[in-house]
Amino acid sequence: MTYCLAIAVDEGLVFASDSRTHAGVDQVSTYSKMFAYARPGERSLVVLSAGNLATTQAVVRRLNRDWQTGAEPSLANTPTLEDAAEYLGEVSVELQRRSVEQSGQQNGLAVEATFLIGGQIQGQAPGIYMVYPQGNFITASPLHPFLQIGETKYGKPILDRIVSEQLPLERAATCALISIDSTMRSNLSVGPPVELLTYRRDSLDPGHYRAFQPDDPYFADLRDAWRDGLQQLFDQLAAPPLDPAAPTTS
Amino acid sequence: MTYCLAIAVDEGLVFASDSRTHAGVDQVSTYSKMFAYARPGERSLVVLSAGNLATTQAVVRRLNRDWQTGAEPSLANTPTLEDAAEYLGEVSVELQRRSVEQSGQQNGLAVEATFLIGGQIQGQAPGIYMVYPQGNFITASPLHPFLQIGETKYGKPILDRIVSEQLPLERAATCALISIDSTMRSNLSVGPPVELLTYRRDSLDPGHYRAFQPDDPYFADLRDAWRDGLQQLFDQLAAPPLDPAAPTTS
């Protein structure tokens, strides 16, 4: 499984991802799911991937080839972020279809992949988009300024509680790490290293990045502080008042 | 959707459930999903239900009829908790099959239901069980002393962090409410009133119960205290150290 998320706040964008992949529980590996495409001063884009690893790797190979050869379209020349999301969706659908055709199975071959793509292009606003396996896409809303792919539910409550467009960029980055920590805590199929990239609005630079290994001092301290703080917070809560139950409800 | 959970600690058992049901987003209703069967001094059992509402209601009608008529087997006379879980599974499978046969559709008719059943029978240890739509069942483990059905993921991280067999009964009850609050916060298909029943080991009584409406003073204070405490805890966390990203990873 996988967990990736993107957060869009007024100050900029946050991208975060785990690095665990598995084909069954007996084939667990570590792959980066974060891919950055930047032309400083002109555009800065980040892609996060979830789903079938063969598909996501094939898609990223194509994105990289098109980026390097300057093909039209490519992430180097799409006029808008929406165009970049549409291009990514077209590549994804084409390569999924090819895998199914090669296999000869028309059904039952799970090659689906989902992507997040976000960033900023000169003269335009920053944005984040989720590209579905079918190639269509959505963006985030001001009331719900984040997008998630993969194993999304365990890490959603803290985002729902904390994230708003007004949240400072570095706080949004911290919240992304807590969201991933909660997910790793509850689901072994999501694991480190955790990659984090922050992009400051209008910088048009590659942003700031770090891959947190399990023994990363900051990440270890963060996880401990959150765990201990939750325990202390919980210990302060009042117990519920209860009445004797009726003999039976039947 | 639905969220129900049962926790088994050394001091006893906790059962909690939301009350929202829906057949599509335009048909949302409120039904209790908690059903208690007690013969004080001899046995005290609780059933929680999730899944197709027609199936769960039909199953509970059968459980109640068998309970009242003293049929063999029924929740009034199963020798052990495992027998009670097996009986519940047999009733569930029979009534699901009947619905499919009545409909004439052999596939595609979603009548599945999942149940939690727990409690204590005189002379035996308390326990909790999850009964799958296929009629088979599992119990909780000492390392994982809780079971969930329905929309389980949003509320799992706090259980993973807090719940152990040594947790006092009233703290386990508090944790169950926090787990349901987190789920309601992230998923509109889970909603109040929240029902909570605690059973103290070896009491063999119906336990203690409360249905918390949204405006219940205790539940409102609990949700506010947790929300505000999480915000304060989060605000104290240090922001991650980040380095300038490489120009591009492609």
Side-chain angles (χ1 to χ4, degrees), chain B residues 75-147:
Chain B
L75 294 183
N77 51 44
T78 53
T80 67
L81 289 174
E82 289 79 1
D83 295 321
E86 185 161 2
Y87 157 72
L88 174 54
E90 290 167 353
V91 169
S92 175
V93 168
E94 174 193 338
L95 295 174
Q96 290 176 59
R97 186 179 298 115
R98 179 180 302 180
S99 297
V100 173
E101 291 169 353
Q102 285 175 337
S103 73
Q105 309 176 30
Q106 288 315 307
N107 326 326
L109 187 64
V111 297
E112 291 197 338
T114 309
F115 297 88
L116 296 178
I117 181 168
Q120 186 174 17
I121 295 173
Q122 186 177 25
Q124 303 171 27
I128 55 176
Y129 297 81
M130 181 191 304
V131 180
Y132 292 106
Q134 296 73 25
N136 52 352
F137 57 89
I138 64 172
T139 187
S141 78
L143 291 177
H144 186 281
F146 60 87
L147 295 170

Side-chain angles (χ1 to χ4, degrees), chain A residues 58-245:
Chain A
V59 168
V60 170
R61 278 196 303 271
R62 172 71 68 84
L63 298 185
N64 293 348
R65 192 191 70 194
D66 291 352
W67 167 270
Q68 286 149 3
T69 61
E72 299 262 358
S74 82
L75 294 183
N77 51 44
T78 53
T80 68
L81 289 173
E82 289 80 0
D83 294 322
E86 186 161 2
Y87 157 71
L88 174 54
E90 289 167 352
V91 170
S92 175
V93 168
E94 173 193 339
L95 294 175
Q96 290 176 60
R97 186 180 298 117
R98 179 181 302 179
S99 297
V100 173
E101 290 169 355
Q102 285 175 337
S103 74
Q105 308 176 31
Q106 287 317 305
N107 330 322
L109 187 64
V111 296
E112 292 198 336
T114 309
F115 297 88
L116 296 178
I117 182 169
Q120 185 174 18
I121 296 174
Q122 187 178 26
Q124 303 170 28
I128 55 175
Y129 298 82
M130 181 191 304
V131 180
Y132 293 105
Q134 295 73 26
N136 52 352
F137 58 89
I138 63 172
T139 187
S141 78
L143 291 177
H144 186 281
F146 60 87
L147 296 169
Q148 306 167 282
I149 57 176
E151 184 59 85
T152 63
K153 291 184 177 183
Y154 300 112
K156 184 169 182 290
I158 189 62
L159 298 172
D160 286 328
R161 292 180 188 274
I162 298 292
V163 173
S164 72
E165 287 193 306
Q166 295 72 43
L167 192 66
L169 183 60
E170 70 171 13
R171 303 311 298 164
T174 307
C175 192
L177 291 178
I178 293 297
S179 178
I180 289 183
D181 174 45
S182 297
T183 306
M184 292 193 299
R185 183 78 180 71
S186 287
N187 188 325
L188 288 178
S189 74
V190 174
V194 172
E195 293 186 280
L196 178 69
L197 191 151
T198 61
Y199 171 80
R200 189 162 295 279
R201 184 188 188 100
D202 298 334
S203 68
L204 294 172
D205 66 12
H208 288 67
Y209 169 87
R210 181 149 172 172
F212 297 92
Q213 301 294 337
D215 59 355
D216 180 279
Y218 164 79
F219 195 41
D221 290 348
L222 180 75
R223 300 182 73 175
D224 292 348
W226 186 249
R227 181 198 63 219
D228 298 344
L230 283 176
Q231 183 67 59
Q232 291 165 16
L233 173 60
F234 177 77
D235 292 343
Q236 295 163 10
L237 297 174
L242 299 170
D243 313 315

Side-chain angles (χ1 to χ4, degrees), chain B residues 192-203:
Chain B
V194 172
E195 292 187 281
L196 178 69
L197 190 152
T198 61
Y199 170 80
R200 190 163 294 279
R201 183 187 188 101
D202 297 335
S203 67

